[in-house]
Amino acid sequence: MAQPRTVVMGAGNILLKDEGVGIHVIRALKKDGALPPNVEVVDCGTAALDALQSLADVDKLIVVDAVRGGDEPGAIYRFSPEDIFEKRSESLSLHQLGLLEALKMAGMLGTVPKEIVIVGIQPEDVSPGLEPSPEIKRRIPEAVEVIKRLIQTEQGECKDGVLKRRKGRHVARV
Amino acid sequence: MKTTVVIDPITRIEGHLRVDVEVEDGKVTDARAAGEMFRGIEGILRGRNPVDAQQITQRICGVCPASHAQAATLNLDNAFGVTPPENGRLIRNLVLGANYIQSHILHFYHLAALDYVDITAILKYTGNDPNLKRVKAWAQAEVDSGRATAVAPFLPRYKGDYIADTELNIGAIAHYLEALKMRREAQEMLAIFGGKMPHAVAILPGGASEKVTVDKIVAFKSRLRELRTFIDTVYIPDVLAVADGYKQYFGIGVGCGNLLAYGVFEEDVSGSKKLFPAGTYIDGAAGPFSDAKIAEYVKKSRYSSATGKHPSEGETTPDERKRGAYSWLKAPRYDKKVLEVGPLARMAVAHLTGGNDKASKLVTDTLKRYDAPVSALFSVLGRHAARALECKVVADRCAEWVAELKPGEPSHAKFEIPKEATGMGLTEAPRGALGHWITIKNKKIDSYQCVVPTTWNASPRDDRKQPGPMEQALVGTPIADPENPIEALRVVRSFDPCIACAVHMVTPDGRTLNEFRAV
């Protein structure tokens, strides 16, 4: 069986410290080296829709982004788009075509990768600055390890049993 | 009876904008536009290598990074005293041209058209087009799911006078899908000479780093051919079709009536001649442009820095609690007057100054079609029409620029970073006039300022209490139902505002909308 085509996509704005953690993580992943040939790393910045449009023939997409899950800074989450679409009480971030809208539109176009996993990192400081805050920086290698494990898991394994209800919130702490 | 209507956040624009309008007897009597985020690029760049400005400023915006790359490199060219070779000039034009094409198509189909087209018509589709069938199935599944986010980003939306004809709506939805493909074509076209997209790496001080090869020229031409066909046979006709159905919008959203264009697309390496000329249109008269007349006012903006400064001397000291301030945008003015920037400004300045015959002809023919005077350009539909016609002018000219490229010739000139220098880079993003200013000390950035198009258009009142262009355009807009102020939204959207670029994050702890929020 051919290796599944996998893309690791970093999303976010590197001008705002931890808001750019997704980009900093994929840069660390690239530096780490030793990625199998079926894995491509993409820096989509804040242009998620453009990136998703060119991912139609991808088997597995791992998105890395800053996510507010409400835990301590640097907490790492893992979930699927459905988890968010199901749970959001009000409509999606209304102010731009963000990651979630882009995923929706890709669904409409039928250009969605077979499997999507979102790896989120809880930000601490999103004020202007090119470097993540110290605590977030410290957790980047951990996020890289999580992604490397996700790259190796078989389809479906990522989604099973990772959601736990806690304090009324669905969180998938890694 | 006076009602205050708050539109916050405005949907489907690139960033966070809040607009408060006062409605009295079914009409807007006053408006305030507030950009909701803070601009911090200046502090980030201080002390860095000047060459980094090109890469870092592109990150301001995911929609028009190429425009920031262009402004930054012109700024550095100017500070370093370097002139790009002919190939470098052409590549920059082609990269920026591709960016215009994708941005204008995105704006009309994916941001603006949904204020007119009834997207729910897809549920009534009975034809056999596989793409439309797939969208129908997707929409139906979304509706059936009953989820809070069903059919986002298309719903929820305001109630309003959407197009009633199912056929027309279905046709528009088909074009919406086609436009998504076309945007991808344009982005791929940009990447041929831009190195990658988003955040092109190949535009540098002194020119461009991509080598010109026959293969690249061929690849660019074939994509451009498709895009030009789409612009001529789908995009422009669709804009005119919307105009036919909503003629009253030639009289709505008039605005300040003054225009500013820095000019864009260098037609020679000295930059003295441009495809769209620099110029102003103030109080009914066309005139020249001089950057010395630009100043940024902050009386109503959340900054404690000095007011009335030229951008090259500008400071950005945030003051969140400043009394009387209501926006994170400064108020740029020209000769103390309020000027609008954007495709309308570029096309009208080109037309009124005789600076571009093709643009003039397209404008004249379109006005003739509606038997409308030049003043009709100052309107919601005038802005949309100018944008679509400009898209054609740019795409057609790209076909000529790509033919002028010389394979094997250099596209880059060497430069030295000076110990001390100042620079200015003026260009036009798809959304309007864009300027970058730099001061270099000890070969490092000492100060860097950007004034972006939406800062002009969505600016708050200035020190003389003059409302900004968008605020002025909103006044007089008829509002049928204050609960659903779709008319006001159409006015705001005609400016194609992009707050992401004008400003950045405001509250570090943000509103948590839900247990997960991909910020």
Side-chain angles (χ1 to χ4, degrees):
Chain A
M1 164 157 169
Q3 283 287 335
R5 195 177 155 219
T6 301
V7 168
V8 182
M9 182 171 100
N13 190 337
I14 56 161
L15 300 178
L16 301 169
K17 293 187 182 168
D18 302 348
E19 220 291 308
V21 66
I23 313 291
H24 295 295
V25 168
I26 62 156
R27 286 178 180 173
L29 178 72
K30 267 193 191 165
K31 231 187 227 148
D32 190 77
L35 283 173
N38 62 317
V39 178
E40 193 187 341
V41 178
V42 176
D43 167 358
C44 82
T46 53
L49 179 64
D50 288 323
L52 279 168
Q53 270 204 284
S54 52
L55 298 177
D57 52 350
V58 170
D59 299 300
K60 188 194 298 191
L61 171 66
I62 300 167
V63 182
V64 197
D65 198 354
V67 167
R68 292 186 199 285
D71 292 84
E72 83 284 355
I76 301 172
Y77 306 101
R78 179 177 86 206
F79 51 93
S80 73
E82 288 77 25
D83 295 329
I84 313 178
F85 294 149
E86 290 295 347
K87 310 293 180 291
R88 274 181 106 90
S89 50
E90 51 183 290
S91 86
L92 300 177
S93 143
L94 275 171
H95 54 90
Q96 57 194 339
L97 289 170
L99 180 62
L100 302 177
E101 289 86 339
L103 286 167
K104 279 267 181 186
M105 287 174 83
M108 181 187 84
L109 290 167
T111 58
V112 181
K114 290 191 191 71
E115 182 179 15
I116 301 176
V117 189
I118 300 170
V119 174
I121 294 118
Q122 173 75 33
E124 178 175 26
D125 178 0
V126 291
S127 62
L130 288 167
E131 295 284 324
S133 51
E135 179 55 16
I136 303 296
K137 217 181 220 172
R138 202 179 61 76
R139 302 287 289 265
I140 286 176
E142 235 174 293
V144 169
E145 285 310 310
V146 167
I147 292 165
K148 280 175 32 195
R149 277 207 304 279
L150 286 172
I151 288 171
Q152 287 158 6
T153 50
E154 293 294 321
Q155 184 168 350
E157 278 186 29
C158 299
K159 292 186 186 172
D160 290 347
V162 295
L163 273 182
K164 304 185 198 70
R165 275 191 88 78
R166 201 161 44 104
K167 292 189 243 161
R169 285 189 294 114
H170 291 259
V171 287
R173 290 300 304 270
V174 172
Chain B
M1 162 72 199
K2 200 190 270 190
T3 331
T4 302
V5 178
V6 177
I7 310 171
D8 175 37
I10 301 243
T11 55
R12 296 196 311 273
I13 62 164
E14 300 295 334
H16 195 144
L17 177 69
R18 168 187 163 137
V19 174
D20 293 37
V21 291
E22 279 184 13
V23 180
E24 210 169 342
D25 302 330
K27 270 208 163 130
V28 174
T29 51
D30 194 13
R32 281 169 187 256
E36 285 290 358
M37 301 182 240
F38 154 65
R39 193 171 82 188
I41 191 83
E42 296 82 4
I44 289 174
L45 285 166
R46 189 166 301 124
R48 297 186 69 96
N49 182 332
V51 179
D52 292 350
Q54 186 271 29
Q55 273 301 301
I56 294 170
T57 56
Q58 282 197 67
R59 295 280 177 168
I60 293 174
C61 179
V63 179
C64 53
S67 307
H68 282 289
Q70 179 83 355
T73 48
L74 290 173
N75 191 14
L76 298 174
D77 282 354
N78 181 247
F80 300 170
V82 59
T83 305
E86 200 59 10
N87 269 353
R89 171 183 76 84
L90 293 165
I91 286 177
R92 287 181 185 180
N93 284 352
L94 292 170
V95 167
L96 189 61
N99 179 244
Y100 268 56
I101 294 167
Q102 71 82 15
S103 182
H104 286 355
I105 291 174
L106 167 87
H107 176 256
F108 181 70
Y109 284 99
H110 307 126
L111 304 174
L114 298 175
D115 295 336
Y116 305 91
V117 173
D118 183 3
I119 195 93
T120 62
I122 193 69
L123 297 170
K124 303 178 196 156
Y125 183 64
T126 53
N128 282 320
D129 178 279
N131 291 326
L132 287 171
K133 276 165 74 177
R134 193 179 52 233
V135 175
K136 180 184 176 179
W138 172 82
Q140 195 60 62
E142 285 280 307
V143 171
D144 294 346
S145 78
R147 294 195 292 219
T149 62
V151 211
F154 307 107
L155 300 177
R157 61 174 191 186
Y158 287 139
K159 294 189 187 76
D161 55 335
Y162 294 96
I163 292 169
D165 181 332
T166 301
E167 284 300 302
L168 269 182
N169 282 314
I170 300 281
I173 295 165
H175 291 166
Y176 177 102
L177 299 174
E178 201 181 337
L180 278 170
K181 289 199 183 72
M182 286 296 148
R183 276 198 67 231
R184 192 173 72 193
E185 288 284 332
Q187 299 287 42
E188 285 170 359
M189 185 170 87
L190 187 153
I192 294 168
F193 290 115
K196 71 182 180 75
M197 182 66 209
H199 312 306
V201 284
I203 303 293
L204 313 164
S209 61
E210 285 290 316
K211 289 194 169 56
V212 175
T213 64
V214 174
D215 287 359
K216 286 179 191 159
I217 293 174
V218 170
F220 196 97
K221 277 183 175 169
S222 75
R223 287 197 167 82
L224 182 61
R225 199 171 306 123
E226 243 185 294
L227 286 161
R228 287 175 70 195
T229 304
F230 178 81
I231 293 163
D232 288 346
T233 61
V234 183
Y235 176 24
I236 293 177
D238 278 351
V239 173
L240 297 177
V242 165
D244 287 340
Y246 292 87
K247 284 205 178 82
Q248 69 274 30
Y249 281 89
F250 273 121
I252 295 174
V254 175
C256 60
N258 300 331
L259 303 170
L260 168 67
Y262 291 167
V264 63
F265 297 113
E266 282 68 22
E267 293 287 22
D268 59 26
V269 288
S270 73
S272 60
K273 190 176 177 319
K274 294 177 180 177
L275 177 66
F276 293 104
T280 56
Y281 182 76
I282 299 172
D283 301 336
F289 158 74
S290 155
D291 82 276
K293 294 187 175 179
I294 302 171
E296 291 196 287
Y297 297 88
V298 296
K299 193 178 166 88
K300 295 289 177 186
S301 315
R302 295 191 177 105
Y303 300 101
S304 56
S305 11
T307 195
K309 290 273 195 196
H310 185 268
S312 64
E313 305 168 333
E315 294 160 11
T316 310
T317 314
D319 178 4
E320 201 165 346
R321 294 199 176 79
K322 181 171 163 182
R323 280 186 58 165
Y326 65 93
S327 180
W328 284 105
L329 303 189
K330 294 178 181 179
R333 297 293 183 256
Y334 184 88
D335 214 1
K336 297 190 177 147
K337 289 181 191 293
V338 183
L339 272 60
E340 176 180 333
V341 300
L344 167 63
R346 288 190 292 262
M347 289 292 278
V349 166
H351 173 55
L352 296 164
T353 58
N356 183 320
D357 296 347
K358 282 190 177 143
S360 270
K361 188 173 174 345
L362 286 169
V363 169
T364 313
D365 289 353
T366 307
L367 288 171
K368 220 178 274 168
R369 179 193 154 118
Y370 293 99
D371 198 15
V374 169
S375 61
L377 289 171
F378 294 90
S379 67
V380 168
L381 291 175
R383 287 184 196 99
H384 286 305
R387 199 172 283 114
L389 299 174
E390 175 182 80
C391 198
K392 176 175 170 56
V393 173
V394 171
D396 289 355
R397 189 71 184 112
C398 279
E400 292 163 345
W401 286 325
V402 77
E404 290 173 28
L405 284 169
K406 295 198 169 50
E409 298 272 313
S411 47
H412 188 259
K414 277 206 170 74
F415 60 82
E416 293 259 324
I417 300 175
K419 196 161 179 303
E420 314 269 312
T422 56
M424 174 172 78
L426 299 183
T427 183
E428 296 263 348
R431 290 169 172 78
L434 171 66
H436 284 200
W437 285 265
I438 190 170
T439 307
I440 299 170
K441 286 187 182 159
N442 284 326
K443 299 198 173 193
K444 295 274 188 287
I445 297 174
D446 183 59
S447 77
Y448 204 99
Q449 287 281 335
C450 310
V451 180
V452 304
T454 297
T455 310
W456 287 91
N457 285 342
S459 63
R461 281 155 173 75
D462 57 33
D463 299 23
R464 301 163 80 202
K465 298 189 182 152
Q466 300 177 106
M470 195 186 290
E471 293 178 333
Q472 291 191 38
L474 280 158
V475 172
T477 303
I479 305 286
D481 170 12
E483 293 289 308
N484 290 283
I486 187 165
E487 301 89 345
L489 200 57
R490 285 169 178 161
V491 172
V492 169
R493 188 125 40 221
S494 71
F495 286 91
D496 191 6
C498 177
I499 299 291
C501 154
V503 283
H504 301 148
M505 280 291 191
V506 61
T507 48
D509 53 351
R511 282 181 313 142
T512 304
L513 289 178
N514 188 288
E515 54 269 25
F516 300 121
R517 181 164 178 222
V519 283

